[in-house]
Structures are given as structure tokens and as C-alpha cells.
Amino acid sequence: MYAQMVKSTGQGVKSLDEMEPQERAFQERINAGEKIEPKDWMPAGYRKNLIRQIGQHAHSEIVGQLPEGNWITRAPTLERKAILLAKVQDEAGHGLYLYCAAETLGVSRDELTEDLLSGKMKYSSIFNYPTLTWADMGAVGWLVDGAAIMNQVPLQRTSYGPYARAMVRICKEESFHQRQGYDIMMKMAQGTPAQKRMAQDALNRFWYPSLMMFGPSDADSVHSAQSMAWKIKMNTNDELRQKFVDQTVPQAEYLGLTVPDETLEWNDDKGGYDFAEPDWSEFFDVIKGNGPCNVERLAARNKAWDDGKWVREGLLAHAEKRASKKVAAE
Amino acid sequence: MSDKATFEFLCRMGDNTLVLGHRVSEWCGVAPVLEEDIALANTALDLIGQTQMWLGLAGEIEGRGRTADDLAMTRDAWDFRNVLLAEQPNGDFGQTMMRQFLFDAWHLAMLQALTRSCDTRVAEIAAKAVKEVRYHVERSGDTVIGLGDGTEESHRRMQAALDLLWPYVGEMFIPDAVDDAMAEAGIAPDLTELRAGFDSHVGSVMEAATLTIPDTDFAHKGGKSGFRHSEHLGHMLTQMQWLQRAYPGASW
Amino acid sequence: MSAPNSAYPDIPEAQPEKPKRHEWPLWEIFIRGQHGMSHRHVGSLHAPDAEMAIKNARDVYTRRNEGVSIWAVEARHIAASSPGDKGPFYEPSESKVYRHPTFFDIPDEVGAM
């Protein structure tokens, strides 16, 4: 998902009996559905995994501003421009909430940012794909936000309090994102032949990258098992992907669009669709930095950060001058 | 007083917010810090909303069935009536905030006066917009002060921004035939009367920012009359209007 | 926060102390949602000073009409009870059931109370 490749540090999931008393008490609290709060004792691995996961999630929101920001200045009407701008602004807000949640674990936002900018930390593969037409604004809202919501709704119940609370706030705001995306798709699908073509083209390009957002199958992964035991991951990647496909296919049919998967078929026995796996070699290429837009995305983030340095320093210097004047006056 | 003049006046108000809102929206995703990114988007959203009201009313008064979107998306540069200041490029963040503050300070004075317009439709739009703009000017003013009186580098950049943009201030206050007609009809204020309040507001902010207002009252003109926009506007419109131009008649 | 300036506080050993960073401080934001309600913690943000913290809070946390009043407190100024105190701090009040109105049986005849 937004933290597709979080590698946990655990060597496998310990049973309660194998744990030291402190860790056992911690795990029992999680099992009982209690929230872990910033000052509570927590295993080093839990903290480390959470920092990575929340950090990657935050980075994804911030980098995720770019593909949609790409169309703000070209939105076709004033209302569409306002809606898109408000949506991309929400993503900045989501990044902000998540960075703050990570900060409760003892890392600063600027440090996380620098790890993103140096390429040390990752963000979701999906944002390395280009947005080429206005229909992509529809497809991103409908598919990408749709896939994100799949993951984020259960994360509202995650064990770490600040993360869970950030997710509650995010989910509340997120519901308008997917709807506005689908609304754009409906307009396009019911529009002129050129608009329909744009809509189908957007679905063709975003279908498999959206499926990749859930990450490779992790049914047999110890890392995932540990994260699930800690309740910082709530479902397997395959469960969420299946749920996403089952939800999305009828929505595509309603639009009169064709999902670009010839093998797609309803399977009565499992009560869900059979569908083709995305090309995982493409996924690993994107993660390695070879996606269509990796270079541009990181360059844009770096430029914004570097160009903003004098501003951040200037405003801080002013605040400090004022504070010292105030002290001198007292 | 003709509807033609009122239409022109409303286009001036709406094009100012349209063009400046567009410029500010260009920052989305690339501002110096997340909190600023979010704040700039709020400003842009307010300005886009005001555009819908001003241009909506303009279209109504024109009586040719043009909507706010028609006016925004299908007029060419020479029909735009925004002041030159609004269309100036973003430059660095300091230039953007300086442009914003100079515009906001005028905008606030203008809107306050317009809340007393004898045209109730104008007064209603102004009453809504003035609340938003009061916050804009507070925020942009604080940022100009913080950066002017910040580090040596931020001070230098803000002074450069002020020097660059000051010659675009005059146009906002120099009345032409449209402004005279509006003032006479009691729809809009006499622009020259707004200047003293603006000078004292801007003067106190620049003093706190340790910045020096250039000793010149030279004013570039040609934006609000549409006679001679800068080269920047056409480039902005090629982006803003592209979809509507490429797929005429489509509904989005 | 025990190690506010290390990226991975769970591996403190053998990590040289990093230089103190010069960042905008973190602020905790409290918002009064409606007149008559108390301020509630809504989240955090960064700002160079208190005035900007309040302005940023207005832009970040009241985008959907969420508030009528904002408090900003620099995070490092918040004093907090430690989680270990949880028992002694809060459990004694659990036994004071008489503080709760449901403790008392009032006859139906006397009406609402």
C-alpha cells in the first residue's frame, strides 16, 4: 500500500511464552485492543517499523500531490479547479498529520523529509506514473484513492494511538476524494467520443499500477505476520487487492469502460473475481527508481525543499529575534 | 452609467482574483513548508470562489448568456481586465508573498469600500470576500515582515521583490473612464481615496519588515484597461484555457 | 520524547550524537468546535512562533469549518503524566462510584432529577 515495501526487522513472530514480561504485557495490551501511546514502553522493532511505515505513508501523500498538482493549472472549469486544488491540499494535510504521528516516536519531520529526498526512504510506486490527460484526475481519484481507502479504513484501528487518530481524520476527509474522481469519470464516460477515449485510456494505464499499490503477495511473509501481530497492518495484501477488484469492476461496468484484463471473470465459488496479476517485474523496477517519473518526482521534491530553505530559515530567524527582544524587554 | 462600464468593472474584479488565484495555485505541492503549502491553497481557493461570483455577475449584467467559466476560459488576453501586478510570475516565494501583500492591501481597502456599494449585488459579494481578504492580508503581511526582518538572505530577497513589484502598485489606484463612471454611479469608490490608507498600511508593514519602499511613483499601466498586458498573461491562458479550447463544447 | 533528534531512537548505542537541528518547533493545537464547548486537541503542526502557529492551525485544522477558537501550545511545554503512573493516578477514582449519579436510587414518584 502506501507503505508497500516496509521490511520488518523481526526474525519471526514470537509466541507470548517466548516473550520477556515487558514485551508480553505489551503484546497482551495489543491483543486486547488497547492503544499504545507515545510514552508507553514498546519493543524497538515496533517503533522502528512504525517510523518507517508512517514515514512512507506521509511521503506518499506529499509526493502524491505532484501528479494531481500537474493538472491544477489546466482544470477545465473554475469549479473543477477548486475541487482539485482542495483535494491536493488535503493530501498536504494528510502528509502533515502523518509526519506529526511519526514525530511522536522520536523522529523529526525534517529528518524524515531528508530521508525521502536522499532516496533512503520510499513512497508508493503509484506516484511514479504520469498524469497525461484530464481523465487521469478521474482515474487517480477513483482507483488510486479507492485503493488507498481500502487500506486506510482498517488502519483506523491500528494499535498505535497517534497513527490511528491520524487515520481517522484522514479517512473522514478522504471520502470526498474518491467520489470526486468517480464524478470526473462519469462526466467523461458520458461525454464526447474524445472524452470517452480519454477515460478508457486512463483506466488502461492506471489499472495495473493500482493493483500494485497493495504490494506483492505477502501471505507467507514473516515480516507481514509480525506487523499483523502488532496490528500495524490489518489485512494481507492479497485480501485487500481482492476486495478492491471486487468493488471496482462493477463501477467500471457502470461507466461503460473495459477493465484491461481479458482473464477477468466472476468466480462463484470464491464469491469474487479472478483477475490477472500485475507485472511484478515492472513493480520492482519502479521501486528501484526506474518508473516513468521517479526522477522527476524526487527532483521536484528536492527543488521545493532547497528553494524553500531561505524561507524556513528567514521566518525562524525573525521569530527568534522577536523572542529575544521580548525577553530583553521583560 | 452604462451596463458596459459595470461589466468592465466586474471583469476587473473577477480577472484580478482569477489570475492571481491561478498564480497562487501554481505553488500547490512545492511550497517551502507544508503549512505554507496548505495556507497558499486556501488563499487560491478563496480567490477562485470570488472569481465565480464576480464573473458570474459580469456575465449576468452583460446579458449574452456567458457564464463565469465562459468568461474565464474563452476570452483572449486582450479581453482580460486584471491589473498587471496580478499576472506577474511567482518568482521565488518572497516575490509571491510580496505580490500577494501589495495586492491584498489594495484588495482589502477596495472591498471594504464596495461593501457600501449602492448596487446590492456588488455589496453582497464584497461583504463575503472582505472576510476572506482580511485574513489574506494579515497572513501575507506577517510573512513579508518575517522574511524582511529575518536573515540577511531573506531580507535581500524581499527588498528585491519590493523593488521589482512596486512599479505595479500605481495602476491599482489611477482611475480611468470606467473607474470614474463607477464612482459617479456610487457602485465603486473613487480609487484615489483609497491610496492614503494603503500607503499607511503598507508603510507600517514595510517598516516592521525593515524594507525600503522605492522612491518612485512610476506606474506600469495597461492591465485593467486591457490595452497592453505583459507577455506573461498569454502563457498563463494557454495553460488555463487549454482543455476548453482543444475540446470546444465538451462538458467537464 | 526521549530522543527527539535521532531518526531511529531504538538504536541509540554506537550512534554518534547528531548535531542539534534547527527546525521550526512543534506545536500542539486545541480547537473549540462550537461556542460553549471546551477546546479539544486536534493535532500538531510546525511554526516558527506562536502567532504563526495559530495562523497555520487556522489553515490546517479549520478547513472544514471545524472551529471558533484556537489554542497553540509549544509541544515541549506540555507537562504529561507518565504512563507508569496510570494505576495510582486513575484507578482510585474507579472506586468512588458515589461520584456518579447512577449510584443513587431515587423513587420514580419524585420525578426527573
Side-chain angles (χ1 to χ4, degrees):
Chain A
M1 185 30 63
Y2 275 9
Q4 288 153 321
M5 294 296 286
V6 176
K7 289 211 175 78
S8 114
T9 48
Q11 302 300 310
V13 186
K14 283 190 228 167
S15 70
L16 285 175
D17 291 336
E18 291 169 293
M19 292 177 185
E20 298 296 319
Q22 200 168 30
E23 186 174 1
R24 186 184 167 125
F26 171 85
Q27 187 63 49
E28 280 170 345
R29 284 180 62 200
I30 289 182
N31 294 348
E34 270 187 49
K35 295 282 181 243
I36 307 302
E37 294 296 338
K39 289 181 142 195
D40 294 348
W41 183 88
M42 61 187 81
Y46 178 84
R47 184 187 297 272
K48 191 169 177 173
N49 269 8
L50 265 180
I51 290 176
R52 287 190 192 167
Q53 181 174 330
I54 302 173
Q56 291 190 5
H57 193 159
H59 296 332
S60 299
E61 298 282 354
I62 302 311
V63 178
Q65 287 186 273
L66 299 172
E68 288 177 284
N70 183 36
W71 278 90
I72 290 172
T73 56
R74 289 179 289 173
T77 68
L78 294 170
E79 187 182 63
R80 288 288 181 202
K81 195 209 293 256
I83 294 171
L84 183 62
L85 179 55
K87 188 200 171 219
V88 183
Q89 180 196 41
D90 274 350
E91 281 153 16
H94 297 175
L96 188 150
Y97 308 153
L98 288 161
Y99 283 125
C100 288
E103 283 181 278
T104 63
L105 291 159
V107 63
S108 82
R109 185 168 88 187
D110 287 6
E111 283 173 294
L112 287 170
T113 305
E114 283 161 14
D115 283 349
L116 166 69
L117 299 180
S118 70
K120 189 174 156 195
M121 285 184 84
K122 302 291 181 202
Y123 54 89
S124 177
S125 57
I126 192 71
F127 303 118
N128 291 311
Y129 288 87
T131 53
L132 303 177
T133 73
W134 176 252
D136 288 9
M137 296 303 96
V140 169
W142 170 39
L143 300 174
V144 175
D145 291 308
I149 291 168
M150 283 284 152
N151 185 51
Q152 292 173 350
V153 166
L155 276 176
Q156 293 178 100
R157 293 179 284 112
T158 188
S159 63
Y160 188 57
Y163 191 23
R165 291 191 283 276
M167 292 315 307
V168 169
R169 183 167 268 274
I170 288 170
C171 286
K172 214 169 11 171
E173 298 181 356
E174 194 83 45
S175 58
F176 118 78
H177 293 183
Q178 196 188 6
R179 282 163 174 249
Q180 69 89 31
Y182 197 70
D183 186 59
I184 291 175
M185 288 310 268
M186 285 201 296
K187 263 276 198 263
M188 306 288 283
Q190 296 158 3
T192 64
Q195 285 177 306
K196 268 183 220 165
R197 191 178 144 203
M198 265 186 234
Q200 182 63 53
D201 173 64
L203 175 57
N204 293 348
R205 280 181 290 106
F206 276 98
W207 175 254
Y208 286 108
S210 300
L211 297 188
M212 291 179 202
M213 286 176 70
F214 298 95
S217 179
D218 60 352
D220 305 317
S221 154
V222 263
H223 301 309
S224 293
Q226 178 62 75
S227 289
M228 288 174 80
W230 280 334
K231 292 192 189 166
I232 58 181
K233 181 182 172 71
M234 310 303 283
N235 307 85
T236 68
N237 296 345
D238 290 325
E239 277 167 16
L240 292 171
R241 190 171 10 250
Q242 181 70 51
K243 206 170 159 204
F244 173 74
V245 171
D246 292 345
Q247 175 188 289
T248 308
V249 170
Q251 294 168 347
E253 282 167 359
Y254 179 84
L255 293 171
L257 300 179
T258 309
V259 173
D261 176 357
E262 285 175 9
T263 69
L264 188 77
E265 203 178 358
W266 178 258
N267 179 335
D268 249 339
D269 294 337
K270 75 172 181 187
Y273 285 92
D274 289 331
F275 57 93
E277 288 278 311
D279 175 359
W280 290 111
S281 68
E282 176 181 316
F283 171 78
F284 288 110
D285 276 338
V286 175
I287 291 283
K288 256 185 277 173
N290 293 323
C293 299
N294 293 59
V295 175
E296 285 103 316
R297 298 291 186 249
L298 263 192
R301 291 306 325 152
N302 271 289
K303 182 176 187 309
W305 187 246
D306 295 343
D307 288 353
K309 185 167 186 275
W310 72 271
V311 177
R312 296 188 299 274
E313 289 175 352
L315 292 174
L316 188 58
H318 175 71
E320 287 169 352
K321 274 189 213 176
R322 275 186 43 188
S324 58
K325 267 186 212 153
K326 208 172 148 197
V327 170
E330 273 164 8
Chain B
M1 202 276 317
S2 70
D3 279 357
K4 178 90 180 61
T6 312
F7 174 75
E8 286 279 314
F9 167 73
L10 292 168
C11 285
R12 289 178 181 192
M13 294 304 293
D15 288 345
N16 280 339
T17 53
L18 172 63
V19 167
L20 186 62
H22 187 95
R23 281 283 185 242
V24 177
S25 79
E26 292 172 4
W27 275 102
C28 186
V30 295
V33 66
L34 271 176
E35 286 80 0
E36 285 296 342
D37 207 297
I38 292 167
L40 283 169
N42 275 343
T43 302
L45 284 169
D46 288 344
L47 293 172
I48 295 168
Q50 293 171 19
T51 303
Q52 288 171 307
M53 295 189 286
W54 289 125
L55 292 186
L57 182 55
E60 219 174 278
I61 285 180
E62 186 193 36
R64 284 170 46 196
R66 289 202 286 183
T67 63
D69 277 325
D70 293 334
L71 291 170
M73 299 297 175
T74 58
R75 283 176 304 158
D76 204 345
W78 56 29
D79 285 330
F80 270 70
R81 294 292 180 262
N82 58 284
V83 290
L84 295 174
L85 178 67
E87 70 198 44
Q88 295 310 299
N90 284 343
D92 65 11
F93 182 78
Q95 197 176 314
T96 292
M97 294 312 292
M98 184 61 77
R99 182 188 63 200
Q100 191 67 37
F101 174 67
L102 294 172
F103 179 80
D104 288 343
W106 170 81
H107 202 199
L108 178 63
M110 182 67 172
L111 290 171
Q112 279 171 332
L114 287 178
T115 59
R116 299 183 293 271
S117 171
C118 70
D119 185 319
T120 51
R121 295 167 299 182
V122 170
E124 275 167 28
I125 296 174
K128 185 166 186 303
V130 77
K131 288 185 208 147
E132 297 168 345
V133 171
R134 200 170 280 131
Y135 179 73
H136 296 174
V137 74
E138 222 184 277
R139 184 160 185 119
S140 60
D142 277 0
T143 308
V144 165
I145 292 171
L147 291 173
D149 180 38
T151 59
E152 211 173 293
E153 181 182 8
S154 71
H155 177 84
R156 176 174 56 72
R157 285 176 181 264
M158 294 313 284
Q159 186 62 55
L162 181 55
D163 294 346
L164 178 75
L165 295 172
W166 189 254
Y168 295 98
V169 165
E171 187 188 11
M172 299 188 286
F173 296 97
I174 300 171
D176 61 8
V178 172
D179 296 312
D180 290 342
M182 289 298 104
E184 212 166 294
I187 293 176
D190 176 350
L191 291 178
T192 56
E193 283 174 13
L194 303 179
R195 185 67 200 243
F198 174 90
D199 281 338
S200 103
H201 182 182
V202 171
S204 69
V205 165
M206 293 309 162
E207 193 188 329
T210 70
L211 297 174
T212 311
I213 294 174
D215 186 20
T216 169
D217 40 16
F218 174 76
H220 289 292
K221 289 190 287 285
K224 70 178 178 182
S225 67
F227 178 68
R228 185 157 53 215
H229 280 282
S230 66
E231 291 178 348
H232 307 296
L233 181 64
H235 290 283
M236 176 192 285
L237 297 186
T238 57
Q239 273 200 14
M240 185 163 86
Q241 302 181 336
W242 177 71
L243 270 178
Q244 292 283 2
R245 301 280 194 182
Y247 302 95
S251 154
W252 304 90
Chain C
M1 276 191 261
S2 50
N5 290 312
S6 73
Y8 300 105
D10 51 321
I11 39 172
E13 307 88 8
Q15 279 265 343
E17 187 75 22
K18 285 192 217 161
K20 185 165 172 17
R21 307 170 61 95
H22 208 54
E23 298 178 8
W24 286 11
L26 185 68
W27 300 76
E28 299 301 332
I29 304 303
F30 301 80
I31 290 183
R32 184 199 300 285
Q34 297 167 37
H35 290 289
M37 305 293 281
S38 55
H39 285 75
R40 268 191 58 203
H41 183 243
V42 293
S44 335
L45 50 73
H46 288 266
D49 59 23
E51 282 82 358
M52 285 311 291
I54 289 175
K55 287 205 168 72
N56 288 345
R58 181 255 186 213
D59 280 303
V60 172
Y61 286 109
T62 68
R63 298 201 303 286
R64 289 178 167 81
N65 281 327
E66 289 99 332
V68 296
S69 162
I70 297 170
W71 287 350
V73 186
E74 204 180 326
R76 67 190 172 94
H77 289 146
I78 291 190
S81 63
S82 82
D85 293 341
K86 219 170 166 178
F89 248 58
Y90 306 113
E91 273 161 28
S93 64
E94 282 170 20
S95 60
K96 298 185 179 56
V97 286
Y98 50 80
R99 283 189 189 275
H100 299 277
T102 45
F103 178 77
F104 305 96
D105 278 331
I106 303 292
D108 289 344
E109 294 87 314
V110 298
M113 183 178 287

